[in-house]
Amino acid sequence: MPPPEAQSLLPELVRALRAGGSVFAEDEAALLAQAAGGDPARLAGLLAERLDGRPLEQVLGWAEFAGIRIGVAPGVFVPRRRTELLAREAIAACAPGAIAVDLCCGSGAIGAAILAARPGVRLYASDVSAASVACAAGNLAGRATVLRGDLFAALPGGLRGRIDVLAVNAPYVPSEAIAFMPPEAREHEPLASLDGGSDGLDVHRRIAAEAAEWLHPSSTLLIETSSAQAGASAALFSAAGFTTRIARDETRDATVIVATA
């Protein structure tokens, strides 16, 4: 609930956001007013950022994910609600004391969801982006080892052959499709978190080729994709020796490849 001094400004905020193309103007106005804490100058600044196209979550500094408030910073991929399916499947795969890795972790949202549901898990999170690593370290607050590096190169060698659950939200947007994404994504989120190459599966290929040597026998690998790419992505992991199934959540338009070693 916005502070009383900000509530009188809500109609003006709603009008401005609608004019800027927001389809959730009322909800966004309330969140911006609440974040400003009654400071008109701060509210004006937040509104200007939003009207400039910055994702609402980056403007607010947080996103809701799996019932958790996840800190989000400029230059960091904003966690999507569809990725809650990936987190849910990863949580289901985590036995007590499991070693889990949140690869391409971005803000660390998947890892945070795992730890909230399975506090005994030993979690590692990694990303190639320095901004993402800093953001994930804040969200995981000393409860996980957060590392910077390119895919498996970020992980300590001692994890080789010991990972029980590998959760991955790697980029999977085909390069040519990025131009058709909303401006919020293509202009304010890192290209490396979106661009999956010509067919969107370049990073999936790399992970399929390297994953087996890092995973414990009977472990589970989970990777997000789109419904259109699911068959091709699953085939990559099947060819690498995994048994695969495709998990789907229609309400979130979410698709995850679940591969067991």
Side-chain angles (χ1 to χ4, degrees):
M1 176 72 69
E5 57 269 30
Q7 291 187 27
S8 62
L9 299 175
L10 286 178
E12 183 179 345
L13 283 175
V14 170
R15 285 193 293 272
L17 289 163
R18 281 179 177 160
S22 172
V23 296
F24 302 107
E26 292 83 357
D27 293 339
E28 290 193 16
L31 288 167
L32 291 172
Q34 185 177 30
D39 183 339
R42 175 158 172 74
L43 181 57
L46 295 175
L47 177 61
E49 285 188 61
R50 183 63 185 125
L51 293 177
D52 190 45
R54 187 173 296 280
L56 177 66
E57 295 84 356
Q58 289 185 2
V59 175
L60 297 174
W62 59 271
E64 183 179 346
F65 182 84
I68 305 167
R69 184 172 286 196
I70 300 293
V72 177
V76 176
F77 181 77
V78 175
R80 276 41 167 186
R81 296 300 296 270
R82 72 169 67 93
T83 306
E84 292 178 351
L85 173 62
L86 175 57
R88 189 167 71 233
E89 291 282 348
I91 290 165
C94 284
I99 295 176
V101 173
D102 180 0
L103 200 67
C104 304
C105 67
S107 64
I110 296 167
I114 290 172
L115 289 175
R118 300 286 188 268
V121 164
R122 182 177 170 189
L123 181 74
Y124 293 79
S126 70
D127 201 283
V128 72
S129 159
S132 295
V133 168
C135 186
N139 285 317
L140 297 172
R143 299 171 294 154
T145 300
V146 184
L147 304 157
R148 184 184 179 193
D150 184 22
L151 299 181
F152 296 100
L155 304 180
L159 282 184
R160 199 180 301 269
R162 298 180 57 214
I163 297 172
D164 298 299
V165 177
L166 178 65
V168 191
N169 189 13
Y172 57 87
V173 180
S175 300
E176 291 186 354
I178 290 173
F180 302 100
M181 295 185 72
E184 293 179 341
R186 68 173 189 265
E187 295 178 7
H188 294 279
E189 292 183 307
L191 182 63
S193 69
L194 303 172
D195 192 345
S198 60
D199 65 352
L201 297 178
D202 281 1
V203 184
H204 285 221
R205 290 185 182 88
R206 292 181 57 201
I207 292 166
E210 300 179 49
E213 64 181 286
W214 288 90
L215 295 172
H216 188 277
S218 302
S219 60
T220 302
L221 182 155
L222 312 104
I223 188 164
E224 183 173 291
T225 188
S226 69
S227 58
Q229 296 161 305
S233 182
L236 292 174
F237 290 94
S238 295
F242 292 87
T243 299
T244 63
R245 67 177 174 88
I246 298 172
R248 179 77 182 152
D249 183 340
E250 297 293 342
T251 62
R252 289 178 170 80
D253 190 23
T255 308
V256 171
I257 306 302
V258 181
T260 53

